Amino acid sequence: MKLFRHGAAGMERPGILDAAGVKRDLSAHLPVLDGAALSPASLARLAAIDLTSLPVVADDVRIGAPVPRPVNFVCIGLNYADHAAETGAAIPKEPIVFIKAGSAYNGPFDDVAIPPGSKETDWEVELGVVIGTAASYVSEDDALDHVAGYCVINDVSEREYQTRRGGTWDKGKGCPTFGPTGPYLVTRDEVPDPQALDLWCEIDGKRMQNGNTKTMIFGVKTLVSYVSQFIALMPGDIIATGTPPGVGMGVKPNPVFLRPGQTMKLGVAGLGEQMQRTIGG
């Protein structure tokens, strides 16, 4: 299934794509597409619905992030060997974990605001993992049983804030609108191998990132297990699993960063595409 939420920000309603790719409203069967709706039993119930009987969602209706703001919006840094190489960083011995602020959470087509005075706002296409059942101290063998599905994430980052303002990476990752997510939550049964997905990002129509999740240093099941050793993952929580090469800070000899008035378009194979316009903060 491809689940989504539609409507004005803060008033989104659940939706689902039918077999023909038509957007349908799920409100009559599901009041809120939240963590409780992502349990195996709930997803099985949704899968049994005759989707052709549901109202059509108009194409001009806003698509929001696929689940409400997560309790934990967890991100993984330097998780692609080729991205680590372009930044000159050593391969991590363990996953680098940081938290993206909840206030960064944003719809997949909403504007991204460049912070006032920022000169180094950057893009990062990522595979997102959406937790379906609570995960705490889980093994790698059991980790995927706790995953409801996958989504596209743009882990927008301000590199000066991230690397030269002291402290942790969170400063450069949590600015408002820095977490576009969606458009869909694609259930796990539709993604047989999360380590075989192409992902890409274009800036103003120019392809900047081309990658595949097979070059992840730590795969999805390893990440879910690892994060659960430190953070109790709740249904509806999201893990952004890192970005492939091609970010602005990696452009040689002179890095390239975002400015107001540009367009970011990005996607992950089978999970949909998102697009944002950059505006001044």
Side-chain angles (χ1 to χ4, degrees):
M1 292 182 291
K2 290 183 172 66
L3 302 168
F4 65 94
R5 295 192 309 143
H6 60 96
M11 301 177 64
E12 295 93 343
R13 293 160 41 168
I16 188 170
L17 285 192
D18 68 16
V22 176
K23 297 192 291 288
R24 302 279 183 168
D25 180 69
L26 261 178
S27 299
H29 297 270
L30 184 69
V32 182
L33 183 53
D34 58 5
L38 302 181
S39 70
S42 175
L43 293 178
R45 182 176 62 82
L46 296 179
I49 296 171
D50 175 12
L51 301 185
T52 61
S53 67
L54 301 179
V56 172
V57 177
D59 287 338
D60 60 352
V61 173
R62 172 184 175 272
I63 302 299
V67 292
R69 183 180 296 175
V71 174
N72 298 300
F73 193 174
V74 182
C75 296
I76 308 299
L78 293 175
N79 194 36
Y80 283 71
D82 33 11
H83 172 56
E86 77 173 341
T87 63
I91 300 296
K93 291 183 172 60
E94 295 188 38
I96 296 172
V97 178
F98 60 92
I99 301 295
K100 202 170 183 76
S103 54
Y105 197 56
N106 205 25
F109 305 106
D110 295 341
D111 292 342
V112 168
I114 297 176
S118 166
K119 296 180 181 178
E120 297 186 8
T121 298
D122 205 347
W123 57 86
E124 290 191 8
V125 60
E126 306 202 5
L127 170 66
V129 179
V130 184
I131 301 300
T133 59
S136 188
Y137 306 111
V138 301
S139 68
E140 288 194 22
D141 288 343
D142 295 336
L144 294 186
D145 293 339
H146 295 268
V147 173
Y150 303 93
C151 62
V152 183
I153 292 175
N154 187 357
D155 178 20
V156 183
S157 309
E158 212 297 344
R159 302 302 187 186
E160 180 190 7
Y161 299 176
Q162 177 186 354
T163 62
R164 302 195 299 281
R165 293 293 296 271
T168 66
W169 285 13
D170 303 67
K171 289 179 182 177
K173 299 286 191 171
C175 300
T177 74
F178 268 26
T181 303
Y184 309 117
L185 186 166
V186 180
T187 51
R188 182 162 52 96
D189 58 296
E190 292 200 16
V191 186
D193 185 0
Q195 306 308 146
L197 301 175
D198 291 328
L199 59 173
W200 55 272
C201 179
E202 295 176 353
I203 306 300
D204 292 338
K206 180 179 179 180
R207 185 64 62 100
M208 301 299 293
Q209 288 187 276
N210 268 318
N212 188 284
T213 55
K214 67 184 179 184
T215 68
M216 280 185 182
I217 299 166
F218 305 103
V220 169
K221 66 179 182 179
T222 298
L223 293 176
V224 173
S225 173
Y226 184 87
V227 172
S228 79
Q229 309 305 310
F230 308 96
I231 298 170
L233 294 168
M234 307 302 292
D237 281 355
I238 295 174
I239 301 175
T241 57
T243 198
V247 298
M249 71 178 295
V251 175
K252 303 293 190 298
N254 299 310
V256 176
F257 297 110
L258 294 165
R259 60 186 186 278
Q262 293 189 283
T263 299
M264 294 182 281
K265 187 175 182 181
L266 54 149
V268 179
L271 305 186
E273 300 178 0
Q274 54 176 242
M275 184 170 67
Q276 302 95 35
R277 183 174 63 99
T278 57
I279 61 173

